[in-house]
Amino acid sequence: MLTILTQTLVTGILLAGLYAIFGLGLSLGWGLLHTINFGHFANAFLAAYVTFELTRTIGWDPLVSLVVTIPLGVLLGMALQVFVTVTKIDVFGTLIVTFGFFLIIEAAMTMIWTADLVRIPLEANPYFTMAFRAGPLVMPAIGLFAVLAATVACGGVYWLLNRTYAGKGIRAFVQDPEMAGLFGVNYRSLSMLVAAIAGGTVGATGTLIALLFVLTPSAAELWVAVIFAVVLLGGLANPVGIAGAALIIGLVESLTRQFADPAMARLTALVVLIIALIFKPEGLFKPVVERAHE
């Protein structure tokens, strides 16, 4: 029983890695750029399909596709930021517009790859069955990749925001745009940096999803609730909070799948979100920076 419980906890931690890197980009855009990017989910699955296509048609190792999916995510993130800057839409407006982008990208993926279920062939994806053992515990390689990617991404963002002049400039502008502008903070260039980082994490997430899951364009919709839960619990633009919230959600889902009904796992995670927000509406972790009027 102790081994089963320990293995369940390990599985939850590995799942948290995927949730953390998936939620990080959405949290950065929302907290620092005031953009609620609903297209975030479709972009991740677009990157997943690109990984699938490069593996199937060219014979690339799935991890090598990161040299394409990460730049693709960067370009998509920067393009959205340019659009938001030019049109000057507000936060609620970004939610509506990016939902439109989500539908467009989903329709495009359906036209190109159809709505059929596809996955990278097992012979081309050795990572799917690869695992490492530590005594009786089994740690799937893809889960370890996700934890490593999330650690690097969250750690890098934390360092950027708290240890660099660029990060201080971003935080200053978010808190008080007028004052930061008077002190020479070039928010346009810094916002593009944030958008590029957020987009890059989406590209990496897509490759991880392609390694692990069966793909269909509409599957992007299934990730919306749990990733928003991670972002709301973790605090906007708070990489440490995102990692903590992802760990909580991942453990709750893993324990529910093991000791209750697997079909209830996502629902249980959302119940945790509701309970947490009832007692702590601002989330379990604070945003990195708040606007001056808040």
Side-chain angles (χ1 to χ4, degrees), residues 46-129:
L46 178 60
Y49 270 109
V50 169
T51 296
F52 163 74
E53 196 64 37
L54 291 173
T55 303
R56 184 186 65 167
T57 61
I58 304 180
W60 283 17
D61 183 288
L63 291 182
V64 175
S65 68
L66 287 169
V67 302
V68 175
T69 57
I70 290 179
L72 173 63
V74 169
L75 289 175
L76 291 172
M78 295 177 70
L80 175 62
Q81 182 58 27
V82 170
F83 176 83
V84 170
T85 301
V86 171
T87 57
K88 298 180 180 179
I89 53 180
D90 59 15
V91 177
F92 182 70
T94 63
L95 176 61
I96 297 174
V97 170
T98 57
F99 179 70
F101 290 160
F102 174 93
L103 296 178
I104 292 171
I105 295 172
E106 183 177 318
M109 290 189 294
T110 303
M111 290 178 60
I112 297 172
W113 289 288
T114 76
D116 294 339
L117 298 174
V118 298
R119 77 176 312 151
I120 298 175
L122 291 180
E123 60 272 16
N125 181 15
Y127 308 107
F128 185 77
T129 55

Side-chain angles (χ1 to χ4, degrees), residues 141-162:
I142 300 174
L144 291 174
F145 294 158
V147 170
L148 177 61
T151 302
V152 172
C154 291
V157 170
Y158 179 86
W159 173 81
L160 171 68
L161 294 178
N162 295 280

Side-chain angles (χ1 to χ4, degrees), residues 8 36 45 57 71 110 125 127 131 136 151 163 190 204 206 210 217 275:
T8 302
I36 307 176
F45 271 78
T57 61
T110 303
N125 181 15
Y127 308 107
T151 302
R163 297 289 185 267
L190 293 178
I275 294 174

Side-chain angles (χ1 to χ4, degrees), residues 26 30 36 38 41 223-233 273:
L26 181 64
W30 193 346
I36 307 176
F38 210 97
F41 305 95
W223 290 82
V224 173
V226 67
I227 299 305
F228 267 106
V230 169
V231 172
L232 292 173
L233 287 177
L273 170 65

Side-chain angles (χ1 to χ4, degrees), residues 225-285:
V226 67
I227 299 305
F228 267 106
V230 169
V231 172
L232 292 173
L233 287 177
L236 299 181
N238 184 342
V240 176
I242 290 296
L247 182 60
I248 292 171
I249 297 296
L251 290 175
V252 167
E253 286 199 8
S254 183
L255 290 169
T256 303
R257 287 193 177 98
Q258 181 62 46
F259 297 108
D261 184 356
M264 297 288 289
R266 285 284 170 91
L267 178 60
T268 305
L270 296 180
V271 170
V272 170
L273 170 65
I274 293 171
I275 294 174
L277 292 182
I278 289 174
F279 292 99
K280 199 170 183 183
E282 69 276 15
L284 298 180
F285 302 88

